[in-house]
Coordinates of all heavy atoms in Angstrom, one line a residue:
Chain A
L36 N -0.7 -13.4 -2.3 CA -2.1 -13.9 -2.4 C -2.3 -14.6 -3.8 O -3.1 -15.4 -4.0 CB -3.1 -12.8 -2.2 CG -3.3 -12.3 -0.8 CD1 -4.2 -11.1 -0.8 CD2 -3.8 -13.4 0.1
K37 N -1.5 -14.1 -4.8 CA -1.8 -14.6 -6.1 C -0.8 -15.7 -6.6 O -1.1 -16.4 -7.5 CB -1.7 -13.4 -7.1 CG -3.0 -12.6 -7.3 CD -2.8 -11.6 -8.3 CE -4.0 -11.6 -9.3 NZ -3.9 -10.5 -10.3
V42 N 7.4 -18.3 -7.4 CA 6.8 -17.9 -8.7 C 7.1 -16.4 -9.0 O 7.5 -16.0 -10.1 CB 5.4 -18.2 -8.9 CG1 4.7 -17.7 -10.1 CG2 5.2 -19.8 -8.8
T46 N 9.5 -14.9 -12.0 CA 8.9 -14.0 -13.0 C 9.7 -12.7 -13.1 O 10.0 -12.3 -14.1 CB 7.4 -13.8 -12.6 OG1 6.7 -15.0 -12.5 CG2 6.7 -12.9 -13.7
K72 N 6.2 -0.6 -13.1 CA 4.9 -0.7 -13.6 C 4.8 -1.2 -15.0 O 3.8 -1.5 -15.6 CB 4.2 0.7 -13.5 CG 3.9 1.0 -12.1 CD 3.0 2.2 -11.9 CE 2.8 2.5 -10.5 NZ 2.0 3.8 -10.3
A73 N 6.0 -1.3 -15.7 CA 6.0 -1.9 -17.0 C 6.4 -3.3 -17.0 O 6.7 -3.9 -18.1 CB 7.0 -1.1 -17.9
T74 N 6.4 -4.0 -15.9 CA 6.8 -5.4 -15.8 C 5.6 -6.3 -15.8 O 4.5 -5.9 -15.5 CB 7.6 -5.7 -14.5 OG1 6.8 -5.4 -13.4 CG2 8.9 -4.8 -14.4
I75 N 5.9 -7.5 -16.3 CA 4.8 -8.5 -16.2 C 4.3 -8.8 -14.8 O 3.2 -8.9 -14.6 CB 5.4 -9.9 -16.9 CG1 5.7 -9.7 -18.3 CG2 4.4 -11.0 -16.7 CD1 6.5 -10.8 -18.9
H78 N 1.7 -6.4 -13.7 CA 0.4 -6.5 -14.4 C -0.3 -7.9 -14.0 O -1.5 -8.1 -14.1 CB 0.5 -6.5 -15.9 CG 0.7 -5.0 -16.3 ND1 -0.4 -4.2 -16.4 CD2 1.8 -4.3 -16.6 CE1 0.1 -3.0 -16.8 NE2 1.4 -3.1 -16.9
L79 N 0.5 -8.8 -13.5 CA 0.0 -10.1 -13.0 C -0.4 -9.9 -11.5 O -0.9 -10.8 -10.9 CB 0.9 -11.2 -13.1 CG 1.3 -11.6 -14.6 CD1 2.2 -12.8 -14.6 CD2 0.0 -11.9 -15.4
G80 N -0.2 -8.7 -10.9 CA -0.5 -8.4 -9.5 C 0.4 -9.1 -8.6 O 0.0 -9.4 -7.4
Y81 N 1.6 -9.3 -8.9 CA 2.6 -10.0 -8.0 C 3.3 -9.0 -7.1 O 3.9 -9.4 -6.1 CB 3.7 -10.7 -8.8 CG 3.2 -12.0 -9.5 CD1 4.0 -12.7 -10.4 CD2 1.9 -12.5 -9.3 CE1 3.5 -13.8 -11.1 CE2 1.4 -13.6 -10.0 CZ 2.3 -14.2 -10.9 OH 1.9 -15.4 -11.5
D124 N -6.5 -12.7 3.1 CA -7.7 -12.4 2.3 C -9.0 -12.8 3.0 O -10.0 -13.2 2.3 CB -7.6 -12.9 0.9 CG -8.5 -12.2 -0.1 OD1 -8.9 -11.0 0.2 OD2 -8.9 -12.8 -1.1
I129 N -12.5 -2.5 5.6 CA -13.2 -1.4 5.0 C -12.1 -0.4 4.6 O -11.5 0.1 5.5 CB -14.2 -0.7 6.0 CG1 -15.1 -1.8 6.6 CG2 -15.0 0.4 5.3 CD1 -16.3 -2.2 5.8
V145 N -6.8 -3.0 -5.6 CA -7.4 -4.0 -4.9 C -7.7 -5.2 -5.9 O -7.4 -6.3 -5.6 CB -8.7 -3.6 -4.2 CG1 -9.6 -4.8 -3.8 CG2 -8.4 -2.7 -3.0
K146 N -8.2 -4.8 -7.1 CA -8.4 -5.8 -8.1 C -7.2 -6.4 -8.7 O -7.1 -7.6 -8.8 CB -9.2 -5.1 -9.3 CG -10.6 -4.9 -9.0 CD -11.3 -4.3 -10.3 CE -12.7 -4.0 -10.1 NZ -13.3 -3.3 -11.3
R147 N -6.2 -5.5 -8.9 CA -5.0 -6.0 -9.5 C -4.3 -7.1 -8.6 O -3.7 -8.0 -9.0 CB -4.0 -4.9 -9.8 CG -2.7 -5.2 -10.5 CD -1.9 -4.0 -10.8 NE -1.4 -3.3 -9.6 CZ -0.4 -3.6 -8.9 NH1 0.4 -4.7 -9.3 NH2 0.0 -2.9 -7.9
G149 N -5.8 -9.0 -6.6 CA -6.7 -10.1 -6.5 C -7.3 -10.3 -5.1 O -7.6 -11.4 -4.6
I150 N -7.6 -9.2 -4.5 CA -8.2 -9.2 -3.1 C -9.7 -9.2 -3.1 O -10.3 -8.5 -3.8 CB -7.6 -7.9 -2.3 CG1 -6.1 -8.2 -2.1 CG2 -8.3 -7.7 -1.0 CD1 -5.4 -6.9 -1.8
T151 N -10.3 -10.1 -2.2 CA -11.7 -10.2 -2.2 C -12.4 -9.9 -0.9 O -13.6 -9.8 -0.8 CB -12.1 -11.7 -2.4 OG1 -11.6 -12.5 -1.4 CG2 -11.5 -12.3 -3.7
N152 N -11.5 -9.5 0.1 CA -12.1 -9.2 1.5 C -12.3 -7.7 1.7 O -12.5 -7.3 2.9 CB -11.3 -9.8 2.6 CG -10.0 -9.1 2.8 OD1 -9.5 -8.3 1.9 ND2 -9.3 -9.3 4.0
T153 N -12.2 -6.9 0.7 CA -12.2 -5.4 0.9 C -13.4 -4.7 0.3 O -13.8 -5.0 -0.8 CB -10.9 -4.9 0.3 OG1 -9.8 -5.4 1.0 CG2 -10.8 -3.3 0.5
V154 N -14.0 -3.9 1.2 CA -15.1 -3.0 0.8 C -14.6 -1.6 0.7 O -13.8 -1.2 1.6 CB -16.3 -3.1 1.8 CG1 -17.4 -2.1 1.4 CG2 -16.7 -4.5 2.0
I155 N -14.9 -0.9 -0.4 CA -14.4 0.5 -0.5 C -15.5 1.4 -0.2 O -16.7 1.3 -0.7 CB -13.8 0.7 -1.9 CG1 -12.6 -0.2 -2.1 CG2 -13.5 2.1 -2.2 CD1 -12.1 -0.3 -3.5
T156 N -15.3 2.5 0.6 CA -16.2 3.5 1.0 C -15.7 4.8 0.8 O -14.4 5.0 0.7 CB -16.7 3.3 2.4 OG1 -15.6 3.5 3.3 CG2 -17.4 2.0 2.7
Chain B
M1 N -22.9 -1.6 0.1 CA -21.5 -1.9 0.1 C -21.3 -3.3 -0.5 O -22.1 -4.2 -0.1 CB -21.0 -1.8 1.5 CG -20.9 -0.4 2.0 SD -19.9 -0.3 3.5 CE -20.7 -1.3 4.6
R2 N -20.3 -3.5 -1.3 CA -20.0 -4.9 -1.9 C -18.6 -5.2 -1.6 O -17.7 -4.4 -1.6 CB -20.3 -4.8 -3.3 CG -21.8 -4.8 -3.6 CD -22.0 -4.9 -5.1 NE -21.5 -3.8 -5.8 CZ -21.6 -3.6 -7.1 NH1 -22.2 -4.5 -7.9 NH2 -21.1 -2.5 -7.7
C3 N -18.4 -6.5 -1.4 CA -17.1 -7.1 -1.1 C -16.8 -8.1 -2.2 O -17.7 -8.6 -2.8 CB -17.2 -7.8 0.2 SG -15.7 -7.9 1.1
G4 N -15.5 -8.3 -2.6 CA -15.2 -9.3 -3.5 C -14.7 -8.8 -4.8 O -14.4 -7.6 -4.9
L5 N -14.4 -9.7 -5.8 CA -13.9 -9.3 -7.1 C -15.0 -9.6 -8.1 O -15.7 -10.6 -8.0 CB -12.7 -10.3 -7.4 CG -11.4 -10.0 -6.9 CD1 -10.4 -11.1 -7.3 CD2 -10.9 -8.6 -7.4
P6 N -15.1 -8.8 -9.2 CA -16.0 -9.1 -10.2 C -15.6 -10.4 -10.9 O -14.4 -10.6 -11.2 CB -15.9 -7.9 -11.2 CG -14.7 -7.2 -10.8 CD -14.4 -7.5 -9.4
R9 N -18.2 -10.7 -16.8 CA -18.9 -9.6 -17.3 C -19.7 -10.0 -18.5 O -19.3 -11.0 -19.3 CB -17.8 -8.6 -17.8 CG -17.2 -7.7 -16.8 CD -16.4 -6.6 -17.5 NE -15.3 -6.3 -16.5 CZ -15.5 -5.7 -15.3 NH1 -16.7 -5.4 -14.9 NH2 -14.5 -5.4 -14.5
T19 N -10.4 -10.8 -16.0 CA -8.9 -11.0 -15.9 C -8.5 -11.2 -14.4 O -7.8 -12.1 -14.1 CB -8.1 -9.9 -16.6 OG1 -8.5 -9.8 -17.9 CG2 -6.6 -10.1 -16.5
V20 N -9.0 -10.3 -13.6 CA -8.6 -10.3 -12.2 C -9.1 -11.6 -11.5 O -8.3 -12.2 -10.7 CB -9.1 -9.0 -11.4 CG1 -8.4 -7.8 -11.8 CG2 -10.6 -8.9 -11.6
M21 N -10.2 -12.1 -11.8 CA -10.7 -13.4 -11.2 C -9.9 -14.5 -11.7 O -9.4 -15.3 -10.9 CB -12.2 -13.6 -11.6 CG -12.8 -14.8 -11.0 SD -12.4 -16.3 -11.8 CE -13.3 -16.2 -13.4
Q23 N -6.8 -14.5 -12.9 CA -5.4 -14.4 -12.3 C -5.4 -14.9 -10.9 O -4.4 -15.5 -10.5 CB -4.9 -13.0 -12.4 CG -4.5 -12.5 -13.8 CD -3.9 -11.1 -13.8 OE1 -4.0 -10.4 -12.8 NE2 -3.3 -10.7 -14.9
R24 N -6.5 -14.7 -10.1 CA -6.5 -15.1 -8.7 C -6.9 -16.5 -8.6 O -6.3 -17.2 -7.8 CB -7.4 -14.1 -7.9 CG -7.6 -14.5 -6.5 CD -6.4 -14.2 -5.7 NE -6.4 -15.0 -4.4 CZ -7.0 -14.6 -3.3 NH1 -7.7 -13.5 -3.2 NH2 -6.9 -15.4 -2.2
F25 N -7.9 -17.0 -9.3 CA -8.4 -18.4 -9.1 C -8.3 -19.3 -10.2 O -8.7 -20.4 -10.2 CB -9.9 -18.2 -8.8 CG -10.2 -17.4 -7.5 CD1 -10.8 -16.2 -7.6 CD2 -9.8 -17.8 -6.2 CE1 -11.1 -15.4 -6.5 CE2 -10.1 -17.1 -5.1 CZ -10.7 -15.9 -5.3
D27 N -5.8 -21.0 -11.2 CA -5.1 -22.3 -11.0 C -6.0 -23.3 -10.5 O -5.6 -24.5 -10.4 CB -3.9 -22.0 -10.0 CG -4.4 -21.4 -8.7 OD1 -5.5 -20.8 -8.6 OD2 -3.7 -21.6 -7.7
L45 N 0.2 -11.2 -27.2 CA 0.1 -9.9 -26.7 C 0.3 -8.8 -27.7 O -0.4 -7.9 -27.8 CB 1.2 -9.7 -25.6 CG 0.8 -10.1 -24.1 CD1 2.0 -10.1 -23.3 CD2 -0.3 -9.2 -23.6
K67 N 4.3 -20.9 -15.1 CA 3.4 -20.9 -13.9 C 2.6 -19.7 -13.7 O 1.9 -19.6 -12.7 CB 4.4 -21.1 -12.6 CG 5.1 -22.4 -12.6 CD 5.9 -22.6 -11.3 CE 6.5 -24.0 -11.2 NZ 7.4 -24.1 -10.2
N68 N 2.6 -18.8 -14.7 CA 1.9 -17.6 -14.6 C 0.5 -17.7 -15.4 O 0.5 -18.0 -16.6 CB 2.7 -16.4 -15.1 CG 3.9 -16.2 -14.3 OD1 3.9 -16.3 -13.1 ND2 5.0 -15.9 -15.0
I69 N -0.5 -17.4 -14.7 CA -1.8 -17.3 -15.4 C -2.0 -15.8 -15.8 O -2.0 -14.9 -14.9 CB -3.0 -17.8 -14.5 CG1 -2.8 -19.3 -14.3 CG2 -4.3 -17.4 -15.1 CD1 -3.8 -19.9 -13.4
W70 N -2.1 -15.6 -17.1 CA -2.1 -14.2 -17.6 C -3.5 -13.6 -17.7 O -3.6 -12.4 -17.5 CB -1.5 -14.2 -19.0 CG 0.0 -14.3 -19.0 CD1 0.7 -15.4 -18.6 CD2 0.9 -13.3 -19.3 NE1 2.1 -15.1 -18.7 CE2 2.2 -13.8 -19.1 CE3 0.8 -12.0 -19.7 CZ2 3.4 -13.1 -19.3 CZ3 2.0 -11.2 -19.9 CH2 3.2 -11.8 -19.7
G71 N -4.5 -14.4 -18.0 CA -5.8 -13.8 -18.2 C -6.6 -14.7 -19.1 O -6.5 -15.9 -19.2
G88 N -4.2 -1.9 -21.1 CA -3.1 -1.3 -20.3 C -1.9 -2.3 -20.2 O -0.8 -2.0 -20.3
M89 N -2.3 -3.6 -20.0 CA -1.3 -4.6 -19.8 C -0.5 -4.8 -21.1 O 0.7 -4.9 -21.2 CB -2.0 -6.0 -19.5 CG -1.1 -7.2 -19.3 SD -1.9 -8.8 -19.3 CE -2.2 -9.0 -17.6
R90 N -1.3 -4.9 -22.3 CA -0.6 -5.1 -23.6 C 0.3 -3.9 -23.9 O 1.5 -4.1 -24.3 CB -1.7 -5.2 -24.7 CG -2.4 -6.6 -24.6 CD -3.6 -6.6 -25.5 NE -3.3 -6.3 -26.9 CZ -4.2 -6.2 -27.8 NH1 -5.5 -6.3 -27.5 NH2 -3.8 -5.9 -29.1
A92 N 1.8 -1.8 -21.8 CA 2.9 -1.7 -21.0 C 4.0 -2.7 -21.2 O 5.2 -2.5 -21.2 CB 2.4 -1.8 -19.5
I93 N 3.5 -3.9 -21.6 CA 4.5 -5.0 -21.8 C 5.0 -5.1 -23.2 O 6.2 -5.3 -23.4 CB 3.8 -6.4 -21.4 CG1 3.5 -6.3 -19.9 CG2 4.7 -7.5 -21.7 CD1 2.7 -7.4 -19.3

Side-chain angles (χ1 to χ4, degrees):
Chain A
L36 289 176
K37 273 185 132 175
V42 171
T46 304
K72 288 189 179 176
T74 63
I75 294 167
H78 286 279
L79 296 182
Y81 291 173
D124 201 22
I129 310 283
V145 166
K146 283 183 184 173
R147 185 176 63 81
I150 290 162
T151 64
N152 74 341
T153 298
V154 178
I155 293 170
T156 59
Chain B
M1 292 197 296
R2 286 183 297 180
C3 208
L5 280 177
R9 278 190 211 294
T19 302
V20 287
M21 182 281 287
Q23 286 184 348
R24 176 74 200 273
F25 299 111
D27 58 336
L45 272 171
K67 290 181 177 171
N68 297 321
I69 293 180
W70 283 70
M89 178 195 269
R90 287 169 58 185
I93 293 169

